[in-house]
Amino acid sequence: LLDEFGIAQYRHVQVGSLPTGLRRVLEMTCAFASSPTLVLLDEPTAGLSSTERENFGDSVLAWRERTGVGIVAPKGDTLTTPLGTVDVDPGTSLTIEGTYLFADNWGVELLVAWPYRHDIDLDGTRIGATRHLPPTVSVQYHFNPAGQFRPYAGLGLNYTTFFDEDTTGPLAGARLSLDDSWGLAGQVGIDIGITDRWFGNLAVRYADIDTDARGNGSDRGTGEIDPWVYQAQVGYRFGR
């Protein structure tokens, strides 16, 4: 095992005398010593030199045939690990929005949606999935509320709740949980009048969504999802 992780030449050196990077490699080597079914490594390459990271990555890749290996790194919906690149796939869903104009140019909007589903991939191989709901309340400014073309901009607050997390592939059987998130949300869009009441809508939104991830009950870092959302909709205008 020491040979596989490239540290056999240090077998007679006291642990306290090893450089920080090699101590990290030794700690992770010990995690594989009992041939576990699943190993979750939290930022395993932190403190390693580029050569040590490359050697460690090669060793972990060799172990993928024998042991499920999960790599967790904070801050990122896309990250590079010794096992490859982890991506949170885009999701598509139906949304319903209502806007109340409390002044000629000002309105307040509530957005609700059917749950989004996102697959989580490792180098194109699915390792998990999650669903979420992102209700958002925004204050909007409408630049031309009486015209046929009615551009607007808005700023608001997003609440995202995650549920139905599951794992598969290398992480099959691991318990994954994602904390709920509060964050700012922004939007720009345009309503395009079709009739006096019906209109089309095009909009782009951004939401600050950060979630603390837990694997098997242990903290595994913070993921910054921060999605851009693109919408095409049909709406109906009530009142005046």
Side-chain angles (χ1 to χ4, degrees):
L1 189 60
L2 296 179
D3 286 325
E4 290 187 48
F5 282 87
I7 57 175
Q9 64 269 39
Y10 302 102
R11 68 175 75 242
H12 300 300
V13 179
Q14 291 186 351
V15 174
S17 301
L18 293 173
T20 301
L22 289 177
R23 288 202 300 269
R24 291 277 295 169
V25 175
L26 178 60
E27 291 170 359
M28 291 178 285
T29 303
C30 291
F32 290 89
S34 60
S35 299
T37 302
L38 173 68
V39 173
L40 293 177
L41 301 175
D42 190 358
E43 294 186 89
T45 58
L48 303 187
S49 67
S50 58
T51 300
E52 289 166 343
R53 283 197 298 270
E54 183 177 351
N55 292 338
F56 177 73
D58 291 340
S59 300
V60 173
L61 286 171
W63 270 82
R64 289 181 69 181
E65 300 300 322
R66 292 172 279 177
T67 298
V69 181
I71 304 290
V72 181
K75 297 190 180 300
D77 61 329
T78 299
L79 55 99
T80 300
T81 76
L83 300 182
T85 300
V86 178
D87 296 297
V88 179
D89 290 349
T92 302
S93 183
L94 296 175
T95 63
I96 300 175
E97 301 158 23
T99 300
Y100 174 72
L101 291 174
F102 58 85
D104 287 343
N105 296 91
W106 291 94
V108 60
E109 178 205 64
L110 172 64
L111 176 148
V112 295
W114 192 257
Y116 287 83
R117 177 183 171 86
H118 298 277
D119 288 338
I120 304 170
D121 297 334
L122 172 64
D123 282 345
T125 299
R126 183 170 173 267
I127 60 172
T130 185
R131 296 179 186 271
H132 81 272
L133 284 172
T136 304
V137 177
S138 301
V139 175
Q140 298 176 331
Y141 184 81
H142 293 255
F143 296 93
N144 184 29
Q148 181 182 6
F149 298 94
R150 304 186 288 272
Y152 62 87
L155 184 66
L157 182 65
N158 167 266
Y159 170 73
T160 297
T161 181
F162 295 90
F163 58 97
D164 281 355
E165 299 95 334
D166 63 49
T167 55
T168 189
L171 295 185
R175 298 191 309 275
L176 173 66
S177 63
L178 302 173
D179 286 352
D180 295 348
S181 167
W182 292 90
L184 292 176
Q187 60 176 290
V188 293
I190 185 169
D191 294 332
I192 303 171
I194 301 172
T195 69
D196 289 344
R197 296 295 184 184
W198 290 95
F199 61 91
N201 172 266
L202 299 173
V204 178
R205 298 173 178 270
Y206 173 83
D208 179 20
I209 301 177
D210 297 343
T211 179
D212 291 331
R214 292 183 174 84
N216 290 333
S218 299
D219 292 337
R220 299 298 177 182
T222 299
E224 295 181 348
I225 299 175
D226 301 345
W228 288 92
V229 180
Y230 305 94
Q231 296 176 293
Q233 304 174 101
V234 174
Y236 185 84
R237 192 173 186 176
F238 296 90
R240 58 185 176 85

